[in-house]
Structure formats: C-alpha cells, structure tokens
C-alpha cells in the first residue's frame, strides 16, 4: 500500500491513497491524516487497503491524476523523530579519515533525537542561512511506527513498522564536531529533514528482510550520480534500532526512525550518501579536486527503484537556497 499527504489541507495535510505506479490518488476514507491513521492503524488499515486495491484495479471512481507538486512530506509532522547511525561502513570511513575509534556490532546503536515539528516536502527550495555552515545531505531510509511498548524485542519491534519512507537528513557540518565533543547531542547541526512524498507498507517493497531494505538509494548532486549505496548493508536492522529506542520508554504512534546515511564498505565503487563521507574518502585517497559542501543554487535528487524499475517513494528533489536575513533576524 502507498500513501501520501496533500499539502493544502493544514499542517497535517490530507491523507491520500496512491496507486502502485504513483500515477493516481484518491482521498482516504478511513482517516483524514497520516498521523490519525497511525494512531488508529488496526482499525483503519483494512479500509485503506481496500481503497488501494480498488485504485489499482481502476475501480475507484473518485481517483485523479497525482501531482507531486501538491504533496507535503508523507508524514508532514510527528511527535518524534529518532535518527540512527546504522551503517558501520559510514562510521569506519569517517573514523579512519578523522582518527577516532571504529565502532563494532558489539557496541549499541547510536541514535539521537531530531526535529519532528515539521518535515520538508520532497520538492522545492530548502533555505539555509549561510554556505559557511557546511550544508550537507544525508540519504536515508526510515520507518514509521504505530504504538510501540517499552521493552519490545527486536523481532517484536518489526511488527510495529507500519510504513517505510526515504529521508534527506540535512546536516550543517560546521556545528557537528563541537556538538559531538560536548557530549549532549546535535542541535544547531540538524535543521528539519526532508521526507519522501510517498510512504509504503513493508510488503510493497519486495525487498524487506530482517528489518532491512534491500534496495539501492540513488543520489544525484546536480546532474552527476553521487552515490548508489544498497540499504541491505545495515549493520543494525530497524528491529534493533526500535528495540534500543524503546528500552526505557514507549514509542508513540507516528514515531519516525531514520537509518542514518546509507553506506557500503565498497563506497569507493558505489559512491556515498552524503558529502562528509566523500570528503573522508578524499582524505584517505586524495583526488585531483576535493569535494565541497553544497553551494546555493545546487540541486540534490534521491530516488529508490524496485526490482521492476518502478520508483518506490517518488523522488526527493530539492534546490539549496539562501534564506533572506530578514526572515530570521529578530
């Protein structure tokens, strides 16, 4: 099943059921918003799925062509966003370049709490105050949960995964090292993230195994392919991440958990999901021209395709732009 949120209907949007090929959509009957659906999932899921089946069969009379430009993030806002670093390949590349200790699978997952009061849509401009903040993208997968109890095991945790999305977790690298050194987590380094326009149920992926998404996440910086890492390489599956997050507390419906930058150990061959990783690789094997962080006017595109070549989540395609000083000075 594929779902989206139309942007014009308030901060939480209007829930849409979307056809498998992303060409058509219809307003959901069972719930008005994505968050409402997640809060009452067991009650509304049969109705949503029936509408989805009818839509794909051409039997939904109120269906209309889907315009991606009208969509918000699939989940426009939520009560909680937890972002992990689940790919040890990413950690090892950065550790080797920057001189800190590699983590191993014996270590617990790293997860921080990010902004969740809004998620940027998958299109349009994203505004930043300065190129000097070292603007970076991070290509990730994420899962959205229903009510998940304290103490859930990794295997039980996967039964609470209702939807899967793609994320661009924007980062301001100029702030990250000092905030990590302080030991109190990210704040200034993490503006709102972008979330794909389409959210899908795990069964729709055709590549959901052991809490991992066995699909390639293709990242373009401008016209050039920047990376195409495989999501199956997660060192910690989403079951492990959810269980870690729920070790001491319940997780509310709508909790979004990100994988962290999708990264493979053969990054020199397949490319990277963020600029920081590419810069670390540059440091380990200096190229003729060093990689820079993003400049105003650049575009970033992320997309994932299934085995049949169909776009799974639609594309996240955004342009980096300057936020006018008058918009943030008080």
């Amino acid at each position: 099943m594929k779902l989206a949120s139309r942007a014009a209907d308030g901060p939480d949007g209007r829930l849409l059921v979307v056809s498998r090929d992303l060409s058509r959509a219809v307003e959901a009957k069972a719930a008005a918003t994505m968050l409402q659906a997640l809060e009452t999932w067991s009650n509304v899921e049969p109705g949503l799925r029936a509408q989805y089946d009818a839509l794909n069969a051409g039997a939904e009379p109120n269906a209309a062509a889907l315009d991606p430009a009208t969509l918000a993030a699939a989940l426009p806002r939520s009560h909680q966003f937890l972002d992990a670093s689940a790919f040890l390949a990413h950690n090892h590349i950065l550790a080797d370049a920057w001189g800190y200790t590699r983590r191993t699978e014996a270590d617990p997952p790293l997860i921080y709490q990010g902004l969740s009061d809004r998620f940027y849509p998958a299109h349009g401009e994203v505004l930043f105050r300065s190129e000097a903040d070292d603007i970076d993208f991070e290509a990730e997968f994420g899962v959205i949960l229903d009510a998940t109890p304290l103490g859930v095991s990794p295997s039980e945790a996967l039964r609470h995964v209702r939807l899967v999305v793609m994320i661009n977790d924007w980062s301001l690298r100029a702030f990250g090292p000092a905030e990590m050194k302080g030991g109190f987590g990210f704040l200034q380094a993490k503006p709102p993230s972008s979330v794909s326009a389409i959210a899908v149920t795990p069964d729709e992926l055709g590549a959901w195994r052991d809490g991992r998404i066995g699909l390639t996440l293709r990242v373009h910086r401008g016209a050039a392919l920047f990376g195409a890492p495989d999501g199956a390489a997660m060192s910690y599956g989403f079951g492990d991440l959810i269980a870690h997050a729920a070790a001491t507390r319940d997780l509310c419906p709508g909790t979004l958990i990100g994988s962290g930058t999708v990264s493979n150990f053969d990054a020199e061959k397949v490319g990277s999901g963020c600029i920081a990783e590419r810069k670390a690789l540059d440091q380990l094997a200096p190229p003729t021209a060093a990689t820079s962080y993003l400049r105003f006017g650049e575009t970033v595109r992320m997309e994932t395709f299934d085995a049949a070549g169909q776009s799974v989540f639609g594309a996240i395609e955004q342009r980096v732009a300057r936020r006018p000083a008058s918009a943030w000075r008080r």
Side-chain angles (χ1 to χ4, degrees):
M1 184 163 55
K2 298 190 176 186
L3 302 173
S5 295
R6 190 172 59 212
D9 297 80
D12 293 310
R14 178 66 172 88
L15 183 63
L16 303 177
V17 180
V18 180
S19 63
R20 182 170 287 112
D21 65 1
L22 309 186
S23 67
R24 298 179 68 75
V26 64
E27 287 190 1
K29 298 175 183 176
T33 69
M34 184 73 80
L35 196 55
Q36 182 186 46
L38 292 160
E39 290 170 340
T40 57
W41 188 263
S42 60
N43 294 327
V44 306
E45 191 272 343
L48 293 173
R49 193 165 291 277
Q51 236 184 323
Y52 182 65
D53 292 340
L55 181 62
N56 287 314
E60 179 51 71
N62 297 316
L66 181 66
D67 180 0
T70 66
L71 300 179
L75 182 64
R77 60 178 181 171
S78 188
H79 303 299
Q80 184 164 234
F81 172 41
L82 305 175
D83 200 25
S85 182
F87 291 83
L88 285 179
H90 180 68
N91 168 266
H92 289 187
I93 291 168
L94 269 59
D96 291 350
W98 297 343
Y100 56 81
T101 303
R102 288 182 172 189
R103 295 180 62 81
T104 73
E105 291 186 16
D107 295 313
L110 290 175
I111 305 179
Y112 73 91
Q113 188 147 8
L115 281 176
S116 62
D117 60 299
R118 62 170 171 158
F119 298 113
Y120 290 136
H123 58 86
E125 288 188 331
V126 179
L127 304 180
F128 297 94
R129 67 171 195 167
S130 173
E131 292 177 352
D133 291 341
D134 292 344
I135 305 163
D136 198 357
F137 53 82
E138 292 192 56
E140 306 188 10
F141 292 117
V143 296
I144 305 174
L145 311 179
D146 66 4
T148 304
L150 179 155
V152 69
S153 70
S155 60
E156 293 168 339
L158 291 177
R159 292 199 286 270
H160 293 278
V161 173
R162 295 310 180 195
L163 296 166
V164 182
V165 294
M166 192 169 59
I167 301 170
N168 181 357
D169 178 43
W170 295 101
S171 292
L172 302 176
R173 299 296 186 183
F175 301 102
E179 291 191 325
M180 287 188 288
K181 188 180 296 184
F184 220 50
F186 292 121
L187 180 68
Q188 294 176 331
K190 291 295 183 178
S193 295
S194 301
V195 172
S196 58
I198 309 298
V200 308
T201 49
D203 62 285
E204 196 73 33
L205 296 170
W208 175 252
R209 298 179 185 87
D210 300 321
R212 294 165 171 84
I213 301 161
L215 297 173
T216 298
L217 205 167
R218 295 178 62 83
V219 183
H220 282 80
R221 180 178 184 177
L225 181 66
F226 193 87
D230 188 343
M234 287 178 80
S235 304
Y236 307 92
F238 277 110
D240 301 309
L241 302 182
I242 298 165
H244 181 78
T248 59
R249 55 178 170 172
D250 298 322
L251 303 180
C252 60
T255 294
L256 171 62
I257 296 186
S259 66
T261 302
V262 179
S263 178
N264 295 170
F265 281 106
D266 59 346
E268 298 90 345
K269 176 182 177 182
V270 303
S272 296
C274 72
I275 297 172
E277 183 175 296
R278 177 70 63 83
K279 288 177 75 68
L281 290 168
D282 289 351
Q283 188 171 328
L284 293 169
T288 55
T291 307
S292 66
Y293 287 114
L294 291 168
R295 304 299 185 194
F296 293 138
E298 287 196 78
T299 60
V300 178
R301 180 183 176 93
M302 301 177 182
E303 195 160 12
T304 300
F305 298 91
D306 63 20
Q310 170 65 48
S311 181
V312 178
F313 310 102
I316 296 178
E317 185 167 12
Q318 296 167 307
R319 179 177 179 272
V320 175
R322 184 190 302 275
R323 185 171 182 174
S326 60
W328 53 268
R329 286 180 180 161
R330 294 291 185 267

